[in-house]
């Protein structure tokens, strides 16, 4: 495949050029597997067929809460082609938590392969493993289940009520987790006589990640008791941990391989099908595939948390944000998953965007009899920013101050510390994002333009957001990589990376290529294999480019040192006199004795009896904020309640774009998700039946191409933090400012204060009717 | 994951009918498969026989026989939306066709399939009411012709076992043709207003949850025949969908529109009546509140479109009537 730099690369990028002239970093190479994907040659997990492979299908609970009295599988077992029926009676009762990513991590463990009491519509009752899908499906219909229905609760705040009895869902009472972070003197600020207090209750919906590829997994046993799991996931080592724990196997008897990713967005950041497939493979002695339908993926895997946010801010008349009091109620659904730590992830963001001297954040997580929430692009960040940024605009309206000016007055500045005690913010360039964005968007003109008085009203809104760059400051964060140069000068990176389709593989190649003066094409960077690759935390926490990328940079640096050291012996010069250029190597003193990398590596092997290989562990040492600001114009049809997003400008402080094409791709997709979050996407669990209304794409509305507005992107690249070449994360923050910016624009157009997402036509008309 | 079934791919209607005689069990015709295939995949439908109609040329045509516009049942929405003939003679059908699903869906989905599926929100259905379309149905017992309205609502008049929809036809509706399709030269018009021909316009509108690839929460089609001089409504047909099991005609409203000018006050009155229709159709439903409000937007879209067409027609009618069809270029597949 020909690789080309993108001509647009220099456009809309505000760089403070580093001293070095970069050759590979900063160019838009295509994804390493783009051509295979576009031509259909790639083999996704669903395409895989192994000799003797069986198919499993799962029976999902039709009831929101019920004790299983009896399961009669005789009919299913009698069907020819059925190899096994699995229920709570014949599977391990080991409890696990699907989101732990390291051994020894504390988390409530409340999930098992098949529970004896189902807790939501979509919980696992049984599974059939059969020769083919058709037989498995038919057998599912023959399983008879006798349920004893139990009372259920579908709304988080209902679960928290103390005045009425609430059904005990889990061994833990509601809330099962609560915590507070507090700085300064919050209550005093609200009592100050001249404080302007702005109060909101914002609700964000449960949404589906909507990856093109529904959840899928293949597992197969071997003759030595080892289970291999093929899965398109983000967290290979978590899969190993949970599968080994549930099956009672040593870690080295569970091999997990990352398969090509057909989309995840956090949906495959938790262990869902893998322990089932592994167990079935072990039990039947055959390869087993489990592939969910869209409907099953929506109801039975993971969602974004439904979150209710109470936010109060105190301001002085000039628009200084004196204090903020925040509370979130997090509906994590029927099992705990990340229900505890996501509340904290939300809270931490609240201390890293504005300079707020007095702030309190409280969070409570509850279980409900609804689909399980978990990781979802932004990991709480879209939720908390929707809550806080809608409130900032509300304040701007009440104070009579332009929202951009109000924000510029209060936003954090480069070098600021985290008032909440987290890692320093680093080169936090949010002011540059807002200032550049306002100019490029024509904010002042658009904001002041008449809204119109007829059927269609126009409005402009904006919002800001911050996100992390790894786990530093919270959890251990490190990566190990092994890099080699082969006898023909080509290279192999052996690491635990997991490309989610964002371009991790190519980005790592570009970073290494930059250091080694080699073409990225000459590097192989396969994705992780828990048996052979060094450990990696996973493609999560927006850590991959910043932390794993830094590991690639350091490893390449060490490899280059070694190459120079060994070559120096042969070139009879000092190591620092060795010059690497365009895949050729020479000494400064004798440039005519120049040879290819391959010739040199071969010579080193022959004469120096060693290999050009390095294994390096990199520990993250910073966790700066990534920042972004979205500017949005909308047109609202006040008669039908439909909103058209007219244009979006997204400005992101990414430190340095390793591959600007990938960065823009992340932003376009993030904006698409953000608009859906603001306007249309909702699993919408019925408060009476507990059934998800948005349980299929005909009733769950993504923003599709005809509804996508033009999206302009500006990148702020001022570097300065410890990522490779100054790079910071983009994958998650890309979606964080969009939804509140859209909501703020709608509220400006209509003069409303809509704060329950999504802003469906029904909600918009209701708000207009109340005016 | 589909269950086992047998499949027939006849090349002609005659062959289809012959094959039918030997088929046992449930028979499903296959048009574009955009409804049937997903239903078979998830097991909601398990026919014993699937008979593919897409290879039968005589079912795929769109033509004008001088009186009526005739569509074969396997005409796809892409063909219909792009047909100059339909645009000219039954504009609301072209509009509805262009708003079904996505490009990919329209490339496969057929008008016959939309009718047979009979979804409450099917976009072609209010159109067929507004155009007063007739269906030709073929089956083991021979051929029958039936108005779409009766086909839809009368017990026993829907599709019987083995029956297929062969064609759909409606009176040509452009200016220069009478409601029943007779060509009326301008100078011999039986309308008194300056001896000019009547103006016929039609429009379709839909409200969903997004601009495209959306199932209608409300859809509406309107056909108006106007006396050209004063712009008085002589005849109209109005149909609403997604408000119950079937779309339906609004004969009372049609009656009230007669004799009135197509001005903003008419639209205001019609909108009020439409809101009452919504209230009557889905009283107490959760969606009632929204639909009764949103129908105002739909009415504005549809009637605004009609008004605009009328003004364009009026402007061009002073230049004499259009000569109809342009037959050769416009017909498809015949
Ligand atoms: C993503 C998506 C979006 C959609 N959007 C819309 C939309 O916006 N508006 C809308 O109205 N519909 C929509 N649909 C539904 C569907 O596309 C239409 O109903 C379409 O017209 C069905 O036609 P078909 O040719 O695909 O029918 P098929 O699926 O082939 O058949 C549908 C049914 O009709 C029967 N049938 C087909 N042809 C005949 C015939 N000639 N005689 C008798 N029976 C027949 C079949 O046996 C079957 O029962 C959508 C579907 C999808 C998947």
């Amino acid at each position: 495949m020909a690789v080309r730099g993108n001509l647009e690369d220099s456009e809309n990028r505000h760089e403070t050029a580093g001293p070095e002239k970069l050759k590979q970093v900063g160019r838009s190479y295509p994804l390493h597997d783009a051509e295979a994907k576009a031509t259909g040659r790639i083999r996704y997990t669903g395409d895989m067929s192994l000799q003797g492979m069986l198919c499993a299908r799962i029976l999902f609970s039709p009831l929101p809460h019920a004790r299983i009295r009896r399961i009669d599988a005789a009919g299913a077992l009698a069907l020819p082609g059925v190899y096994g029926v699995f229920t709570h009676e014949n599977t391990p009762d080991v409890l696990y938590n699907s989101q732990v990513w390291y051994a020894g991590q504390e988390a409530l463990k409340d999930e098992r392969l098949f529970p004896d009491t189902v807790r939501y519509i979509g919980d696992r009752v049984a599974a059939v493993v059969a020769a083919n899908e058709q037989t498995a499906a038919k057998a599912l219909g023959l399983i008879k289940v006798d349920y004893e229905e139990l009372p259920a609760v579908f709304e988080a705040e209902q679960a928290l009520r103390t005045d009425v009895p609430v059904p005990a869902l889990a061994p833990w009472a509601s809330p099962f987790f609560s915590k507070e972070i507090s700085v300064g003197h919050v209550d005093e600020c609200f009592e100050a006589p001249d404080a302007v207090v702005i109060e909101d209750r914002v609700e964000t919906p449960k949404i589906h990640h909507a990856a093109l590829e529904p959840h899928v997994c293949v597992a197969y046993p071997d003759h030595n008791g080892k289970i291999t799991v093929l899965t398109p996931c983000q967290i290979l080592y978590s899969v190993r941990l949970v599968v080994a724990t549930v099956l009672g196997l040593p870690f080295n008897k569970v091999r997990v391989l990352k398969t090509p990713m057909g989309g995840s967005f956090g949906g495959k950041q938790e262990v869902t099908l893998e322990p089932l497939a592994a167990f079935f493979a072990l039990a039947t002695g055959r390869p087993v595939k489990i592939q969910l339908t869209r409907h099953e993926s929506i109801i039975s895997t993971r969602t974004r948390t439904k979150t209710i946010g109470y936010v109060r801010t105190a301001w002085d008349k000039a628009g200084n944000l004196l204090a903020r009091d925040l509370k979130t109620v997090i509906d994590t659904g029927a099992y705990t998953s990340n229900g505890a730590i996501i509340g904290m992830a939300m809270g931490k963001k609240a201390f890293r965007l504005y300079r707020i001297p007095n702030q309190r954040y409280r969070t409570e997580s509850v279980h409900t009899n609804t689909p399980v929430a978990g990781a979802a692009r932004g990991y709480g960040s879209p939720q908390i920013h929707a809550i806080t940024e809608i409130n900032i605009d509300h304040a701007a309206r009440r104070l009579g101050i332009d929202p951009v000016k109000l924000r510029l007055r209060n936003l954090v500045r480069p070098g600021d510390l985290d008032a909440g005690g987290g890692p320093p913010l680093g080169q936090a360039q949010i002011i540059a994002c807002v200032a550049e964005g306002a100019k490029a968007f024509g904010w002042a003109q658009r904001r002041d333009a008449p809204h119109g008085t007829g059927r269609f009203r126009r409005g402009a809104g904006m919002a800001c957001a911050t996100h992390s760059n790894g786990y530093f400051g919270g959890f251990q964060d490190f990566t190990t990589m092994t890099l080699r140069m082969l006898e023909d000068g080509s290279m192999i990176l052996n690491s635990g990376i997991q490309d989610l389709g964002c371009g991790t593989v190519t980005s790592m190649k570009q970073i290494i290529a930059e250091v080694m003066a080699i073409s990225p094409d000459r590097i192989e960077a396969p994705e992780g294999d828990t048996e052979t690759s060094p450990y990696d935390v996973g493609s999560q926490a927006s850590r991959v480019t910043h932390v794993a990328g830094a590991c690639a940079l350091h490893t390449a640096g060490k490899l280059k040192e070694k190459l120079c050291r060994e070559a120096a012996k042969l070139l009879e010069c000092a190591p620092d006199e060795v010059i690497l250029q365009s895949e050729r190597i020479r000494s400064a003193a004798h440039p005519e004795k120049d040879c290819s990398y391959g010739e040199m590596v071969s010579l080193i092997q022959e004469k120096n009896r060693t290999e050009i290989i390095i294994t390096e562990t990199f520990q993250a040492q910073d966790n700066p904020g990534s920042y972004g600001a979205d500017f949005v114009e909308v047109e609202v049809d006040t008669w039908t309640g439909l909103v058209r997003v007219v244009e979006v400008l997204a400005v992101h402080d990414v430190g340095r774009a390793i591959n600007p094409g990938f960065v823009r791709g992340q932003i376009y997709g993030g904006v698409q998700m953000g608009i859906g979050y603001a306007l249309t996407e909702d699993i919408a669990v019925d408060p009476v039946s507990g059934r998800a209304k948005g349980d299929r794409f005909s009733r769950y509305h993504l923003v599709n191409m005809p509804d996508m507005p033009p999206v302009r992107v500006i990148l702020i690249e001022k570097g300065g933090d410890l990522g490779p070449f100054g790079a910071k994360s983009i994958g998650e923050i890309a979606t964080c400012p969009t939804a509140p910016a859209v909501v703020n624009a709608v509220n400006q157009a209509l003069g409303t204060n809509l704060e329950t997402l999504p802003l469906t036509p029904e909600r918009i008309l209701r708000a207009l009717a109340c005016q | 994951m589909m269950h086992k079934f047998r499949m027939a791919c006849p090349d002609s209607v005659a062959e289809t009918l012959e094959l039918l005689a030997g088929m046992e069990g449930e028979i499903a015709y296959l048009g574009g498969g955009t409804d049937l295939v997903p239903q078979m995949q998830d097991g909601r439908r398990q026919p014993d026989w699937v008979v593919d109609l897409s290879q039968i040329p005589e079912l795929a045509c769109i033509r004008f026989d001088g009186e009526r516009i005739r569509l074969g049942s396997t005409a796809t929405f892409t063909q219909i939306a792009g047909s100059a003939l339909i645009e000219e003679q039954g504009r609301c059908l072209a509009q509805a066709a262009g708003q079904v699903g996505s490009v990919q869906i329209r490339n496969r989905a057929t008008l016959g399939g939309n009718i047979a599926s009979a979804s409450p929100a099917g976009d072609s259905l209010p159109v067929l009411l507004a155009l007063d379309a007739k269906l030709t149905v073929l089956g083991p017992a021979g051929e029958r012709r039936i108005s779409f309205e009766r086909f839809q609502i009368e017990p026993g008049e829907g599709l019987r076992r083995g029956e297929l929809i062969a064609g759909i036809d409606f009176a040509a509706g452009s200016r220069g043709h009478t409601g029943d399709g007779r060509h009326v030269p301008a100078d011999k018009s039986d309308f008194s207003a300056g001896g000019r021909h009547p103006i016929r316009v039609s429009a379709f509108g839909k409200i969903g949850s997004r601009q495209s690839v959306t199932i209608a929460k409300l859809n509406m089609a309107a056909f108006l025949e106007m006396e050209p001089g004063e712009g008085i409504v002589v005849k109209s047909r109005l149909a609403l969908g997604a408000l119950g099991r079937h779309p339906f005609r609004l004969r009372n409203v049609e009656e009230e529109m007669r004799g009135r000018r197509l001005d903003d006050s008419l639209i205001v009155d019609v909108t009020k009546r439409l809101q009452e229709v919504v209230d009557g159709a889905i009283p107490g439903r959760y969606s009632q509140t929204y639909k009764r409000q949103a129908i105002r937007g739909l009415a504005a879209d549809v009637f605004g479109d009609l008004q605009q067409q009328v003004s364009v027609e009026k402007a061009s009618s002073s230049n004499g009537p259009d000569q109809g069809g342009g037959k050769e270029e416009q017909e498809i597949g015949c």
Side-chain angles (χ1 to χ4, degrees):
Chain A
M1 188 189 346
V3 284
R4 259 170 275 111
N6 187 332
L7 286 178
E8 283 175 50
D9 278 356
S10 54
E11 278 175 32
N12 286 330
R13 291 173 62 197
H14 297 244
E15 296 178 62
T16 321
E20 76 286 53
K21 183 86 191 97
L22 298 175
K23 289 205 171 70
Q24 304 297 345
V25 162
R27 288 177 69 179
S28 295
Y29 289 100
L31 286 175
H32 71 291
D33 54 4
E35 194 173 287
K37 281 177 175 161
T39 54
R41 278 188 296 109
I42 203 160
R43 271 161 48 92
Y44 289 102
T45 314
D47 301 323
M48 293 175 183
S49 177
L50 306 178
Q51 179 133 37
M53 190 170 81
L54 305 176
C55 294
R57 288 197 53 87
I58 301 168
L59 181 67
F60 294 104
S61 171
L63 298 173
H65 198 191
R67 197 176 64 78
I68 297 172
R69 277 205 204 96
R70 215 174 90 81
I71 301 185
D72 177 0
L77 282 166
L79 198 68
V82 170
Y83 283 72
V85 175
F86 297 94
T87 69
H88 70 92
E89 288 167 354
N90 59 356
T91 53
D93 59 2
V94 179
L95 292 175
Y96 61 92
N97 180 306
S98 61
Q99 64 85 43
V100 293
W101 65 88
Y102 63 91
Q105 188 173 7
E106 261 179 56
L108 293 182
K109 294 173 180 161
D110 51 6
E111 203 173 347
R112 55 183 276 194
L113 294 184
F114 297 94
D116 50 9
T117 296
V118 286
R119 294 190 194 158
Y120 71 106
I121 296 177
D123 208 348
R124 296 183 294 265
V125 175
V128 172
V129 179
N132 52 49
E133 289 242 338
Q134 199 185 324
T135 308
K138 194 164 171 191
L140 275 191
L142 300 174
I143 298 175
K144 293 193 196 115
V145 188
D146 181 10
Y147 296 101
E148 175 191 335
E149 276 198 63
L150 301 170
V153 58
F154 306 121
E155 285 177 292
E157 295 198 314
Q158 192 74 25
L160 285 173
R161 284 177 68 164
T162 47
D163 53 332
V164 290
V166 169
L169 232 180
W172 305 284
S174 281
F176 65 86
F177 176 83
S178 56
K179 190 134 184 167
E180 178 174 326
I181 318 175
S182 188
V183 297
H185 308 280
V186 177
D187 294 322
E188 286 167 30
C189 296
F190 284 97
E191 283 152 18
D194 50 355
V196 180
V197 176
I198 309 294
E199 203 165 339
D200 287 289
R201 178 188 185 277
V202 177
E203 211 177 296
T204 67
K206 278 205 171 172
I207 60 156
H208 171 55
H209 306 77
L212 210 49
E213 174 195 51
H215 287 69
V216 57
C217 175
V218 170
Y220 59 89
D222 76 357
H223 48 274
N224 280 331
K226 183 162 73 193
I227 288 286
T228 301
V229 181
L230 308 175
T231 176
C233 73
Q234 302 182 220
I235 30 78
L236 285 175
Y237 292 86
S238 310
V239 172
R240 180 175 73 183
L241 172 63
V242 173
V243 169
T245 307
V246 172
L247 271 57
L249 293 174
F251 282 18
N252 65 358
K253 290 289 187 188
V254 176
R255 179 184 187 191
V256 188
L257 288 160
K258 161 75 172 52
T259 48
M261 173 58 81
S264 177
F265 311 106
K268 292 167 187 155
Q269 190 182 316
E270 301 204 13
V271 185
T272 54
L273 302 178
E274 294 91 345
L276 295 163
F279 181 77
F280 301 156
L282 201 64
T284 59
R286 298 267 215 126
V288 174
K289 182 195 279 184
I290 313 179
Q291 181 164 21
L292 300 187
T293 64
R294 174 63 53 187
H295 168 69
E296 292 167 347
S297 261
I298 294 178
I299 63 160
S300 79
T301 60
R302 293 292 178 268
T303 68
R304 189 184 288 292
T305 61
K306 177 170 177 171
T307 304
I308 298 163
Y310 293 91
V311 49
R312 271 193 322 143
T313 40
W315 306 77
D316 68 16
K317 296 263 171 350
N320 294 306
L321 181 41
L322 307 174
R324 182 156 72 185
D325 192 8
L326 263 170
K327 185 183 161 194
T328 55
V329 177
I330 293 169
D331 175 357
T332 193
Y335 293 97
T336 300
S337 172
N338 66 356
I341 51 181
I342 197 161
M344 295 309 294
M346 288 183 202
K348 287 179 182 172
K349 308 293 177 295
F351 292 83
R352 296 172 66 86
L353 185 55
Y354 296 97
R355 289 177 159 175
I356 311 176
N358 306 286
Q359 182 163 216
R360 174 166 57 214
Y361 173 78
R362 284 170 295 171
T363 183
E364 294 187 327
S365 299
V366 303
H367 292 113
T368 56
N369 296 99
T370 65
V372 186
R377 193 180 198 171
Y379 210 83
S381 211
Q383 292 93 310
I384 195 68
H385 286 110
I387 294 162
T388 52
E389 287 296 285
I390 289 172
N391 175 259
I392 300 270
D393 258 46
H394 188 185
R397 261 194 317 280
R398 284 271 300 282
L399 292 164
I401 300 176
D402 177 86
V404 163
K405 293 204 184 102
L406 187 66
R407 285 182 171 87
L408 285 173
R409 180 179 273 277
N410 290 287
L411 285 164
V412 296
R413 290 168 173 59
D416 274 7
L417 297 180
D418 178 331
L425 309 185
Q427 294 304 311
Q429 297 292 349
I430 183 62
I431 295 220
C433 292
V434 173
E436 293 289 340
K439 215 184 322 149
F441 192 65
W443 170 259
Q445 301 88 294
R446 292 205 207 210
R447 184 76 182 181
D448 295 342
H451 305 312
T453 49
R455 173 175 173 185
F456 297 96
R457 312 252 172 95
R458 288 223 165 196
M462 60 88 59
C464 303
T466 182
H467 201 67
S468 61
N469 278 273
Y471 284 123
F472 177 80
F475 300 93
Q476 70 269 31
D477 196 351
F478 64 93
T479 289
T480 304
M481 291 182 169
T482 296
L483 188 60
R484 283 185 281 173
M485 187 173 275
L486 311 186
E487 300 88 310
D488 63 350
S490 65
M491 300 180 72
I492 297 177
L493 172 70
N494 180 14
S495 72
I497 55 170
Q498 299 149 69
D499 195 323
L500 310 186
C502 318
T504 301
V505 166
T506 305
S507 300
M508 295 302 150
K509 290 184 189 180
Q510 285 180 255
I511 292 166
I512 294 166
E514 188 68 59
V515 176
M516 296 303 297
I518 192 171
S519 158
D521 280 351
R522 297 276 284 154
I523 305 168
E524 267 304 286
E527 299 181 60
D529 169 347
T530 60
E531 187 167 270
T532 57
S533 316
Y535 178 77
D536 179 68
V537 176
S539 287
Q540 56 188 12
S542 279
R543 62 178 290 281
V544 177
T545 302
H546 190 74
V547 180
C551 185
L553 180 73
H554 285 265
T555 311
K558 285 272 160 63
L559 190 82
K560 181 178 169 184
E561 267 174 48
K562 180 163 189 184
L563 177 62
C564 291
R565 206 167 51 238
E566 294 299 330
K569 296 177 191 164
L570 301 169
L571 295 169
E572 296 171 338
C573 64
D576 60 3
E577 288 164 349
V578 176
I579 295 170
L580 307 183
Q581 195 181 22
S582 304
E583 299 179 37
R584 298 194 71 81
I585 189 163
R586 61 176 189 271
S587 75
H590 295 282
E592 72 290 350
K593 279 204 262 166
D594 141 289
C595 70
S596 73
Y597 283 1
E599 287 160 351
M600 180 54 74
V601 170
S602 304
L603 261 181
I604 289 169
Q605 290 194 0
E606 188 189 327
K607 308 278 187 204
N608 304 1
R609 319 247 153 144
T610 190
E611 189 184 352
I612 299 304
I613 184 167
I614 284 290
T615 296
E616 181 75 2
T617 297
F618 173 82
Q619 298 168 348
Q621 277 146 31
D622 73 344
N623 192 345
S626 283
Y627 288 88
D630 277 9
F631 296 79
V632 173
E633 182 174 337
V634 299
E635 182 188 77
V636 186
D637 181 340
T638 59
W639 292 6
T640 62
L642 288 162
V643 176
R644 187 169 71 87
V645 179
V646 178
E647 195 183 337
V648 174
L649 169 67
V651 192
H652 283 272
D653 161 24
V654 296
R656 159 82 69 182
I658 300 292
N659 183 315
F662 293 168
V663 171
R664 288 196 194 96
Q666 289 300 302
I667 295 171
Y668 298 141
V671 166
Q672 184 269 351
M673 281 185 86
I675 296 174
Y677 196 42
L679 298 178
T680 58
E681 294 188 41
D682 191 357
I683 282 177
V685 174
D686 183 89
V688 178
S689 67
R691 192 169 294 283
K693 286 185 242 173
D695 65 354
R696 58 203 66 208
F697 276 163
S698 55
R699 297 198 289 257
Y700 183 92
H701 302 296
L702 297 162
V703 172
N704 56 14
M705 283 312 289
D707 275 351
M708 269 303 277
V711 178
R712 271 195 297 155
V713 171
I714 295 177
L715 302 180
I716 307 289
E717 301 185 59
K718 297 192 191 297
D721 295 309
L722 300 182
F725 306 95
K728 297 195 286 190
S729 66
I730 186 62
E732 297 192 87
I733 190 166
T735 199
C736 297
T738 312
V742 170
V743 172
N744 290 341
V746 171
N747 281 331
Q748 201 234 357
L750 302 179
T752 47
N753 193 38
L754 285 154
E755 42 193 13
T756 298
L757 277 61
L759 307 186
T760 57
E762 289 82 354
R763 287 186 176 133
I764 286 176
L765 292 190
R766 219 177 295 141
L768 285 170
C770 294
Q771 272 183 341
Chain B
M1 225 213 333
M2 276 191 214
H3 78 296
K4 284 214 177 73
F5 59 90
R6 300 179 72 184
M7 181 138 184
C9 301
D11 319 311
S12 69
V13 170
E15 188 192 347
T16 310
L17 295 176
E18 249 167 62
L19 287 170
L20 272 186
M23 289 179 183
E24 278 174 18
E26 188 192 336
I27 299 167
Y29 289 105
L30 178 68
T34 60
D35 279 325
L36 183 63
V37 172
Q39 285 166 3
M40 287 175 63
Q41 263 168 347
D42 67 18
R44 271 176 293 162
R45 288 205 56 188
Q46 309 195 335
D48 303 284
W49 278 96
V50 171
V51 181
D52 180 14
L53 300 178
S54 69
Q55 303 306 310
I56 304 177
E58 58 206 283
L59 291 184
C61 69
I62 299 178
R63 68 194 170 87
F64 179 36
D65 69 3
E67 283 187 14
R68 296 179 73 79
I69 305 302
R70 297 186 180 275
L71 295 105
S73 62
T74 62
T76 65
F77 285 122
T78 293
Q79 287 168 336
I80 296 171
S83 157
L85 180 65
I86 301 294
E87 175 71 26
E88 173 80 24
Q89 305 287 350
R91 185 161 186 270
C92 58
L93 178 57
Q95 287 176 310
Q99 291 183 52
V100 170
S102 58
V103 173
Q104 295 91 327
I105 293 292
R106 292 194 288 275
N107 283 344
R108 298 214 51 91
T110 65
L111 180 56
N114 203 241
I115 297 170
S117 279
S119 151
D123 285 320
S124 77
L125 310 182
V127 163
L128 299 180
L129 291 175
L131 294 174
D132 196 19
K134 292 198 167 48
L135 307 184
T136 303
V137 176
L138 290 176
E143 177 180 316
R144 59 187 175 108
R145 274 180 59 75
I146 180 166
S147 80
F148 170 69
E149 189 173 20
R150 285 189 54 213
F151 173 87
Q152 202 186 213
I153 54 176
E154 275 183 35
E157 292 298 334
L159 288 173
R160 302 161 194 161
R161 183 179 178 279
E163 276 191 339
L164 66 100
I165 300 162
I168 299 94
D169 59 85
F170 58 88
S174 78
R175 45 206 173 88
H177 294 93
T178 64
D180 59 8
R182 271 182 300 118
H183 190 259
V184 183
D187 50 347
K188 289 199 190 138
S189 166
D190 39 27
F191 285 96
S192 50
R196 279 182 286 164
H197 54 86
I199 293 174
R200 295 194 189 85
V201 288
S202 70
F204 170 83
K206 157 179 181 177
I207 292 176
S209 47
R210 57 188 170 200
Q211 287 177 54
S212 64
V213 202
T214 185
I215 303 298
K217 290 181 183 173
L218 278 174
N219 53 16
M220 176 160 78
F223 167 89
L224 291 186
E225 187 172 300
M226 329 253 315
E227 165 283 317
E230 295 296 304
I232 301 293
V233 176
V234 179
K235 184 154 112 190
S236 68
R237 285 187 295 266
L238 204 57
L240 264 181
L243 280 171
R245 281 185 52 196
H246 305 292
F248 48 83
R249 282 271 296 270
L250 307 173
R251 288 200 163 75
N252 292 342
V253 187
E254 293 169 9
E255 198 51 46
E256 287 164 23
M257 282 166 44
R258 204 219 307 254
R260 292 190 58 177
R261 216 170 267 119
L262 181 58
D263 52 17
D264 292 348
S265 88
L266 174 80
I267 301 179
V268 169
D269 292 345
V270 168
T271 302
K272 232 177 265 156
R273 298 285 282 112
L274 290 172
Q275 291 183 321
E276 289 164 23
V277 170
V278 172
D279 292 340
I282 49 170
R285 283 264 197 97
Y286 172 76
S287 60
Q288 181 192 353
T289 321
Y290 175 71
K291 289 189 178 182
R292 75 182 314 284
Q293 285 175 283
I295 202 157
R296 181 171 167 221
L298 182 59
D301 291 345
V302 170
F303 281 84
D305 183 351
L306 292 171
Q307 276 181 324
Q308 204 191 339
Q309 289 181 57
V310 169
S311 59
V312 171
E313 294 276 317
K314 273 188 171 167
S316 67
S317 69
S318 45
N319 306 325
D322 182 294
Q323 286 312 305
K327 225 175 149 202
E328 291 75 15
E329 321 107 54
Q330 295 189 1
E331 296 189 347
I332 294 178
C334 309

